[in-house]
């Protein structure tokens, strides 16, 4: 992989580099309404476009179960690497940067939800789970959680939750 840089992004960066409209709106909404206290956007930039990104949510989770059981663990949201740029280490670099930022904010674990189904008992696709396991995340023992897609109460999703205890970042 050459020429890709990972950087924390502000609103202007998001507008300039993120091509996908849904993802761009998501990041802009987070940055505008919640600010840096709410969370941080990280972009993997190649030339004039983002080929990957992730949001580190520092503010308290919306889901009661996460708030009660995760003790302020920040959440990784909207992690995505463009299909043609996968398996080149970009996802790992984005997550590593988000984890290092969480550590600086005195958080000692990071969590995330993998959407498994829009109905409670439908089959479980496993696609990103191997990636998270490789990076040291383990599934928690408290079962799936119910969330609302993009905060909209009309669209329910079920997620498996993965958690990683952080260690000090290496130089
Ligand atoms: C999951 C995703 C972010 C991984 O990004 P990536 O840039 O391809 O990952 P990396 O190249 O950094 O991979 C790091 C390691 O994980 C492995 N890996 C990557 N994707 C994997 C997968 N789906 N299953 C198992 N292992 C995987 C890589 O082989 C690599 O292993 P290595 O260190 O032994 O070489 C990317 O596939 C993606 O955007 N998927 C679609 C969106 C998505 O599912 N996001 C997660 C929402 S919860």
């Amino acid at each position: 992989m050459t020429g890709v840089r990972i950087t924390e992004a502000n609103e202007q960066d998001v507008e300039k580099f993120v091509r996908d409209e849904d993802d761009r709106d998501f990041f802009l909404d987070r940055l505008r309404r919640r600010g840096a206290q709410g969370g941080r956007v990280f972009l993997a930039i190649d030339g004039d476009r983002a080929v990957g990104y992730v949001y580190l949510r520092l503010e308290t989770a919306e889901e009661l179960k996460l708030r009660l059981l995760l003790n302020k663990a920040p959440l990784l949201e909207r992690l995505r690497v463009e299909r043609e740029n996968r398996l080149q280490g970009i996802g790992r670099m984005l997550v590593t940067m988000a984890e290092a930022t969480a550590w600086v904010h005195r958080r000692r674990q990071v969590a995330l939800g993998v959407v498994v189904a829009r109905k409670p008992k439908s089959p479980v696709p496993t696609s990103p789970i191997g990636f998270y396991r490789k990076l040291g995340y383990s599934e928690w023992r408290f079962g799936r959680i119910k969330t609302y897609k993009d905060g909209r109460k009309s669209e329910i999703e079920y997620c498996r939750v993965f958690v990683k205890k952080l260690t000090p970042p290496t130089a």
Side-chain angles (χ1 to χ4, degrees), residues 142-167:
F142 307 110
R144 296 177 182 189
I145 59 162
K146 186 168 119 181
T147 64
Y148 298 107
K149 187 170 191 294
D150 298 336
R152 286 197 294 270
K153 299 226 164 178
S154 53
E155 285 194 67
I156 292 173
E157 293 178 327
Y158 292 85
C159 293
R160 291 171 68 178
V161 177
F162 291 79
V163 183
K164 177 179 178 178
K165 289 209 185 312
L166 298 180
T167 53

Side-chain angles (χ1 to χ4, degrees), residues 79-81 86-92 127-128 130-132 134:
L79 173 65
R80 180 177 163 76
V81 173
R86 289 181 191 165
L87 299 179
Q88 298 171 29
I90 295 172
R92 183 195 292 276
S127 51
F131 165 80
Y132 289 123
K134 206 148 226 182

